[in-house]
Amino acid sequence: MESQSTSARLLIVDGHAYAYRAFHAIRSLSAPDGAPTNAIYGFIKMLTKMQSALKPTHQSVVWDGGLCAERMKALPEYKSQRPPMPDELDRQMPEIETYLAAANVPSFVNEGVEADDWIASQARRAQDAGVEVVIASADKDFLQLVSPGVGLLNPNDKTEKIWQAAEVRAKTGVEPGQIVDWLSLIGDTVDNIRGVPGVGPKTATDLLLQFGSIDQIYLRLDEVKSERIRTSLRQSEAEVRRNQKLIRLPIDLPCGFDLKQLAVRPANHDQLASLYEQWGFKTMLAQLQGARGLQKELL
């Protein structure tokens, strides 16, 4: 694959994360026919804001296609505590996909493949092609992917900066390359992954600053000063090793990467106008028509 210029930038959006975020951020919004539109409206606003700020040359939205079978086999209770998607959000998901198609934003889902895994593999393919990558998600698992060519746009960070290694260190105290080990020690309640009893974020950071990695912690376990932590680590080794496999994101999935397919393309204004009218998005419709009028004047 030919290397791209450094000006190329791929924005990868964690689809379900932003759909949920939009759904909970906006309440009581509905179309003229009474159908809920809060998630649709919020998702469009968030996406267009990112597009305007980041000016990507390439883009994609990736959706969860189900839970990874290997993770479920290793930990049957993996993510089992998550409640089902609210009905009102579920009703809006096809409409968000319809918007993305009209806006010419590539959208991906693969049955049995979690969005995190697809995003990680897509990011690595883009990075190998010389393209800068920005992943839009608040999922801390993506901290492990941060590198000189891959940044993270965390919607929880009001500064709206693209996170690099310095921001990862400020948040966790460790380097991006140590995030898998850091999360393996503390666990992840969101994914129902239990960590080492008694080892919280600060203790995990201190251990990794001292030893560098989980492998070195267990090779030099006698050097752990706290007897309580030392005993807990020894008793939890099997779970910690399992956690590493659960948390590490694969970068070699066959994600059908095609940079040309991800290139930013003009939206279908007629389709968008029809959708905005259907949903009752009057301001968006007016802005679309205004932009279209200006475009015609310039031609």
Side-chain angles (χ1 to χ4, degrees):
M1 185 180 295
E2 293 184 3
S3 178
Q4 305 296 315
S5 69
T6 55
S7 61
R9 170 181 277 181
L10 169 62
L11 169 64
I12 309 178
V13 178
D14 185 351
H16 275 98
Y18 273 85
Y20 269 93
R21 192 175 189 86
F23 178 74
H24 290 295
I26 302 172
R27 296 291 186 177
S28 302
L29 190 65
S30 58
D33 65 1
T37 57
N38 57 323
I40 305 167
Y41 182 83
F43 188 94
I44 294 172
K45 294 289 285 185
M46 291 176 184
L47 179 58
T48 54
K49 182 179 180 181
M50 287 188 285
Q51 291 168 331
S52 176
L54 298 173
K55 295 179 172 55
T57 57
H58 300 76
Q59 58 187 342
S60 72
V61 176
V62 180
W63 305 94
D64 274 318
L67 297 179
C68 171
E70 290 182 3
R71 290 190 180 102
M72 291 296 295
K73 183 178 180 180
L75 183 66
E77 61 269 30
Y78 175 66
K79 294 187 178 181
S80 64
Q81 86 289 4
R82 293 190 176 185
M85 180 180 289
D87 289 340
E88 285 204 346
L89 174 56
D90 191 42
R91 289 175 60 187
Q92 296 177 72
M93 295 300 289
E95 301 295 284
I96 293 176
E97 286 276 19
T98 300
Y99 163 77
L100 291 173
N104 263 329
V105 177
S107 179
F108 300 93
V109 64
N110 196 348
E111 186 176 354
V113 178
E114 297 184 45
D116 295 10
D117 297 337
W118 185 285
I119 290 171
S121 293
Q122 194 175 80
R124 174 49 66 92
R125 300 291 177 82
Q127 190 178 20
D128 289 346
V131 177
E132 177 192 357
V133 178
V134 178
I135 299 170
S137 178
D139 190 334
K140 56 185 174 293
D141 286 346
F142 289 124
L143 296 175
Q144 66 186 272
L145 301 179
V146 171
S147 69
V150 178
L152 185 64
L153 183 65
N154 183 349
N156 292 330
D157 180 5
K158 303 305 179 185
T159 69
E160 299 182 352
K161 65 166 59 177
I162 298 174
W163 283 29
Q164 299 292 349
E167 286 72 35
V168 176
R169 286 194 297 269
K171 176 69 175 178
T172 66
V174 300
E175 298 292 332
Q178 296 174 301
I179 288 295
V180 171
D181 285 358
W182 187 74
L183 289 173
S184 296
L185 290 169
I186 67 176
D188 189 345
T189 56
V190 174
D191 291 348
N192 217 22
I193 298 173
R194 192 174 77 97
V196 178
V199 175
K202 186 180 184 305
T203 300
T205 297
D206 290 342
L207 287 167
L208 290 172
L209 289 177
Q210 179 182 354
F211 297 100
S213 68
I214 281 174
D215 285 345
Q216 285 299 312
I217 289 173
Y218 281 105
L219 282 173
R220 300 159 54 192
L221 195 57
D222 290 343
E223 296 178 36
V224 175
K225 295 178 182 178
S226 167
E227 182 180 352
R228 178 178 61 86
I229 297 299
R230 189 166 61 248
T231 300
S232 191
L233 283 165
R234 183 178 292 111
Q235 293 175 344
S236 302
E237 182 174 6
E239 288 79 8
V240 170
R241 298 295 189 183
R242 177 205 62 197
N243 291 353
Q244 288 177 296
K245 296 177 181 178
L246 292 171
I247 293 166
R248 183 172 287 108
L249 300 177
I251 56 174
D252 56 357
L253 292 182
C255 61
F257 180 77
D258 183 350
L259 196 59
K260 291 181 180 178
Q261 182 186 7
L262 305 181
V264 171
R265 295 181 176 84
N268 187 314
H269 285 85
D270 290 337
Q271 290 182 13
L272 284 183
S274 177
L275 290 173
Y276 291 165
E277 188 171 3
Q278 171 191 330
W279 295 327
F281 296 168
K282 296 179 181 178
T283 301
M284 287 186 183
L285 181 58
Q287 291 171 341
L288 180 68
Q289 292 171 336
R292 193 173 188 184
L294 179 61
Q295 188 179 42
K296 287 181 178 179
E297 288 179 15
L298 295 173
L299 293 176

